[in-house]
Amino acid sequence: MSSRFVTTLLAVSIFSFMLGMNAWADNEFYEFETAAQERQFNTLAGELRCPKCQNQTIADSDAPLAQDMRERVYQMIMEGKSNAEIIDFMKVRYGDFVHYRPPINKSTLILWLAPLAVIIIGALAVWFNVRHQRSASAELTPEEEARMDEMFAKTDKAEERDK
C-alpha cells in the first residue's frame, strides 16, 4: 500500500471516530414514568429559551447551560411540579426572557408592541405610496399635452424619413 493511501485511510478513520464520539456525547436520555411526563418535558423544552443561545429553545441548544436547564426541568417534572411552577422557577433564575411567551409588564411591553408598530408603519407606508402614485398619474396640463403632441410629431416625422 502506498503511504498516501494509508494516510487517507487513517484520516478518514479518525474523522469517523470523532463523529461517532460527538454523537454519543450529545445523546441525552431521560426516562419517564408516564407518557404525560414525557409530553410535559417536551412542551417545556420547546417553550424555554436558552439564555446563552437566545434564539434557540433548550431542546435545540447544545450549550452546557441548556443541558443544565433540561436536567433541571427533568428533575422538577419527576418531583411532580406543574408547568407553571417550572416556568416560574426558570423566570426567577434567568429572567422573563427565558420564556418564549413573556408576561405583559413594563420591562416586556416593547416585545408586545413592536410587532404591532411595525405592521402599522408598514400599512401607512403602503397607503401613502399608493396615494402618491394616484396623484402622480393625474391628467396632464394643456402645456404638457402640447409638448407631448410636439414630441410625437417629431417621432412620426423621423420614422417616415427612415422609411
Side-chain angles (χ1 to χ4, degrees):
M1 284 196 240
S2 71
S3 63
R4 188 175 193 185
F5 176 74
V6 172
T7 305
T8 304
L9 184 62
L10 182 62
V12 168
S13 299
I14 291 172
F15 181 72
S16 298
F17 178 74
M18 289 171 59
L19 278 177
M21 289 300 290
N22 189 25
W24 178 70
D26 288 343
N27 190 12
E28 291 178 348
F29 179 73
Y30 297 107
E31 192 171 322
F32 298 97
E33 296 168 358
T34 65
Q37 289 175 331
E38 187 173 358
R39 279 193 305 276
Q40 182 183 12
F41 178 82
N42 291 332
T43 299
L44 287 169
E47 286 182 13
L48 296 172
R49 183 190 324 253
C50 175
K52 181 174 172 119
C53 304
Q54 297 192 2
N55 285 328
Q56 286 185 321
T57 64
I58 63 171
D60 296 333
S61 175
D62 290 331
L65 179 59
Q67 291 173 347
D68 292 344
M69 290 174 73
R70 285 191 297 268
E71 180 64 31
R72 186 64 183 138
V73 168
Y74 173 74
Q75 290 172 359
M76 293 177 82
I77 288 172
M78 297 312 287
E79 293 169 4
K81 304 284 185 184
S82 69
N83 285 4
E85 291 172 317
I86 295 170
I87 290 170
D88 288 343
F89 172 83
M90 292 295 178
K91 283 181 182 180
V92 167
R93 193 162 195 181
Y94 301 107
D96 286 333
F97 182 77
V98 77
H99 194 225
Y100 269 109
R101 287 182 263 148
I104 298 176
N105 59 34
K106 288 180 185 178
S107 63
T108 61
L109 198 57
I110 188 73
L111 295 173
W112 291 98
L113 294 180
L116 182 63
V118 168
I119 290 171
I120 290 171
I121 290 170
L124 287 173
V126 168
W127 183 71
F128 280 119
N129 192 17
V130 168
R131 189 170 166 216
H132 175 71
Q133 287 178 351
R134 284 185 184 163
S135 66
S137 64
E139 293 186 27
L140 299 175
T141 64
E143 295 85 23
E144 290 172 333
E145 283 187 34
R147 271 187 67 208
M148 196 159 38
D149 289 341
E150 183 181 319
M151 289 171 60
F152 283 137
K154 287 181 183 178
T155 304
D156 290 341
K157 287 180 186 178
E159 286 178 358
E160 287 178 12
R161 190 180 45 207
D162 290 341
K163 287 184 181 178

